[in-house]
């Protein structure tokens, strides 16, 4: 039976879901600053590191509802979320399959930490389902994906991956940061665990560092046992900031989707632009899958300049800020070759399609015409 929650739209869930009552009838969740809570006459043992204080629960309930999950955990960064999830599911001697095109920090975690703990892994060369199947070993436990990927926005078929995992007894985990819960709900495609760097679209104002993991209760209970030991929980103040930010997420992301679509079309026809990577363009590698598994194409896009120098181009921008990170209300741009992929050797980078001329744009909520005019001006630089 559908409850009221299932019928409410994401816009409404963003605003209302999870809010905790205020005894003075204020309409916002109060910030409960205590780290010490009474324990007599109650079975609950409240403590920030146990992921159960009211401000953490408010955020978890909101994001769980948006992602169609039954429970979750809120962490102090996206990396805290994804490292805790992985280390709670994988034991010494287990094997993990990672899709290609992962976030740089995730790659670093795998390359620097996994060997030390005796965890085996395979980094895939491409994300065809056959490649996943070929990587399967007797000790494979977890399949980890990220769709769309960074920076080329490649799309992995979530339903195929989840079927593969169900048939092989693996747990599927997705980093859903780039899509946001507004544009993609992987649990609906059968994925088990969804992670977000809340630093990006959930926070949305480039001023919060946080992470989220949501899933069915069975998985969250298991992850929580390890999370309590790793201790990467988020404090009440930041939880409140995050709760407040998510209230506007649906309208922010809707505008970002719209702007990014307009900008992708503009760049696509511009003679100074060699290639545009945006899942909403019909010639994108994953366009058809994206149409099936997403409700919006997102606010991230990448493009390659024809012969204009990337630095000259960025210096010609007056509105769009050359800066790292993404997902804020302001448009930002960066060259992956000198930021997120700086440590990847040049020939390997270029083989993956990440040239010095590639730029990754995180589209904000400004007027689309102003953003296009800014890009047009910068594309005229010599
Ligand atoms: C930023 C980011 C992360 C890491 O999140 P932090 O909040 O910086 O720890 C993980 N995955 C993706 C896709 C990201 O963009």
């Amino acid at each position: 039976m559908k409850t009221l929650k299932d019928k409410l739209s994401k816009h409404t869930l963003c605003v209302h879901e999870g809010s905790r009552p205020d005894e003075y009838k204020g309409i916002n969740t109060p910030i409960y600053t205590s780290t010490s809570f009474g324990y007599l006459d109650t079975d609950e043992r409240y403590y920030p590191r146990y992921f159960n204080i009211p401000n953490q629960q408010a955020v978890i309930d909101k994001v769980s509802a948006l992602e169609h999950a039954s429970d979750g955990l809120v962490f102090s960064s996206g990396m805290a979320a994804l490292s805790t999830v992985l280390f709670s599911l994988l034991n010494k001697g287990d094997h993990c399959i990672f899709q290609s095109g992962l976030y740089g920090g995730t790659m670093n975690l795998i390359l620097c930490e996994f060997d030390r703990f005796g965890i085996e892994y395979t980094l895939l060369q491409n994300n065809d389902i056959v490649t996943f199947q070929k990587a399967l070993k007797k000790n494979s436990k977890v399949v980890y994906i990220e769709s769309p990927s960074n920076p080329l926005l490649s799309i992995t078929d979530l339903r195929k991956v989840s079927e593969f995992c169900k048939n092989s007894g693996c747990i599927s985990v997705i980093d859903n940061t780039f899509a946001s819960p507004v544009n993609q709900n992987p649990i609906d495609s059968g994925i088990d665990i969804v992670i977000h760097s809340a630093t990006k679209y959930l926070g949305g104002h480039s001023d919060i560092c946080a992470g989220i993991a949501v899933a069915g209760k069975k998985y969250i209970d298991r992850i929580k046992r390890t999370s309590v030991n790793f201790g990467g929980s988020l404090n009440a103040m930041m939880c409140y900031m995050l709760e407040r930010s998510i209230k506007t997420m649906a309208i922010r992301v809707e505008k970002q989707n719209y702007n990014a679509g307009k900008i992708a079309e503009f760049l696509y026809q511009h003679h100074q632009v060699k290639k545009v990577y945006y899942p909403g363009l019909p010639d994108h590698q994953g366009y058809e899958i994206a149409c099936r598994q997403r409700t919006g194409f997102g606010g991230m896009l990448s493009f390659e300049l024809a012969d204009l120098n990337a630095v000259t181009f960025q210096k010609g921008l007056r509105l769009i800020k050359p800066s790292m990170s993404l997902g804020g209300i302001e448009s930002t741009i960066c060259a992956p070759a000198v930021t997120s992929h700086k440590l990847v050797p040049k020939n390997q980078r270029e083989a993956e399609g990440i040239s010095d001329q590639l730029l990754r744009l995180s589209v904000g909520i400004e007027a689309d015409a102003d953003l296009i005019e800014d890009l047009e001006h910068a594309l005229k630089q010599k």
Side-chain angles (χ1 to χ4, degrees), residues 45-80:
R45 296 290 175 263
Y46 292 105
Y47 189 57
R49 188 168 47 75
Y50 296 167
F51 297 84
N52 61 1
I53 60 170
N55 293 100
Q56 293 169 337
Q57 282 302 322
V59 171
I60 288 163
D61 288 354
K62 209 185 266 303
V63 181
S64 298
L66 287 164
E67 281 288 16
H68 307 156
S70 53
D71 204 355
L73 296 161
V74 56
F75 295 89
S76 55
S77 71
M79 287 308 298

Side-chain angles (χ1 to χ4, degrees), residues 147-163:
S147 183
S149 73
N150 181 25
L152 299 178
L153 290 311
S154 92
I155 303 289
T156 304
D157 193 322
L158 304 188
R159 194 153 284 286
K160 283 192 181 154
V161 170
S162 78
E163 272 164 21

Side-chain angles (χ1 to χ4, degrees), residues 260-270 276 281:
K262 290 281 179 200
I263 290 171
E265 279 169 27
F266 163 76
L267 292 171
Y268 192 77
Q269 51 74 43
H270 201 285
V276 183
L281 290 174

Side-chain angles (χ1 to χ4, degrees), residues 75-82 101-106 144 146-150 175-179 195-200 208-212 300 325-326 360:
F75 295 89
S76 55
S77 71
M79 287 308 298
L82 68 90
L102 295 175
Y103 173 73
T106 312
Y144 185 97
E146 189 180 322
S147 183
S149 73
N150 181 25
D175 180 337
N176 202 31
T177 301
F178 266 40
I195 295 171
H196 285 279
S197 166
T199 314
K200 317 298 165 54
I208 294 172
C209 184
I212 298 268
M300 297 300 300
S325 203
L326 59 113
R360 188 194 73 188

Side-chain angles (χ1 to χ4, degrees), residues 141-193:
K141 287 281 159 59
V142 172
V143 174
Y144 185 97
I145 59 174
E146 189 180 322
S147 183
S149 73
N150 181 25
L152 299 178
L153 290 311
S154 92
I155 303 289
T156 304
D157 193 322
L158 304 188
R159 194 153 284 286
K160 283 192 181 154
V161 170
S162 78
E163 272 164 21
F164 162 66
C165 289
K166 298 229 152 50
N167 293 334
S168 56
C170 291
I171 301 168
S172 50
V173 180
I174 187 171
D175 180 337
N176 202 31
T177 301
F178 266 40
S180 92
V182 180
N183 289 327
Q184 177 168 276
N185 294 132
I187 288 175
D188 294 349
S189 299
I191 300 295
D192 297 314
I193 300 167

